[in-house]
């Protein structure tokens, strides 16, 4: 796969990941945490704010892989 195409796909994947993850985390927070105390809310937003990094690291790792050499 050409490197430019790979970077384009990776960019769209990262943007989609951030948008979808933010929407899901926000919907969950509004639905479940409205009655919770400040400590529970803080812990949720701390955890959910760091959790998106794991799939993003996978995408970035895929982007950094060297292309296969054709023989």
């Amino acid at each position: 796969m050409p490197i430019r195409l790979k970077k384009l796909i990776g960019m769209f994947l990262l943007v989609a990941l951030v948008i979808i993850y933010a929407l899901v985390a926000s919907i969950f927070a509004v639905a479940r945490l409205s009655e919770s105390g400040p400590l529970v809310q803080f812990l949720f937003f701390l955890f959910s704010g760091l959790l998106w990094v794991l799939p993003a690291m996978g995408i970035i790792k895929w982007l950094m892989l060297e292309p296969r050499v054709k023989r």
Side-chain angles (χ1 to χ4, degrees), residues 66-71:
E66 293 293 325
R68 294 182 184 162
V69 177
K70 293 182 181 180
R71 294 182 187 195

Side-chain angles (χ1 to χ4, degrees), residues 7-58:
K7 286 183 179 183
L8 180 68
I9 292 169
M11 181 204 54
F12 280 118
L13 286 174
L14 283 171
V15 169
L17 169 72
V18 170
I19 290 171
I20 292 169
Y21 186 82
L23 288 173
V24 169
S26 298
I27 290 170
F28 182 81
V30 168
R32 301 285 182 174
L33 296 178
S34 60
E35 302 288 326
S36 300
L39 180 61
V40 173
Q41 291 179 3
F42 172 76
L43 291 175
F44 170 78
F45 285 111
L46 178 69
F47 179 71
S48 66
L50 295 174
L51 189 63
W52 72 272
V53 173
L54 296 175
M57 282 184 356

Side-chain angles (χ1 to χ4, degrees), residues 14 17 52-65:
L14 283 171
L17 169 72
W52 72 272
V53 173
L54 296 175
M57 282 184 356
I59 294 171
I60 293 171
K61 189 174 183 180
W62 173 74
L63 284 173
M64 299 303 292
L65 288 176

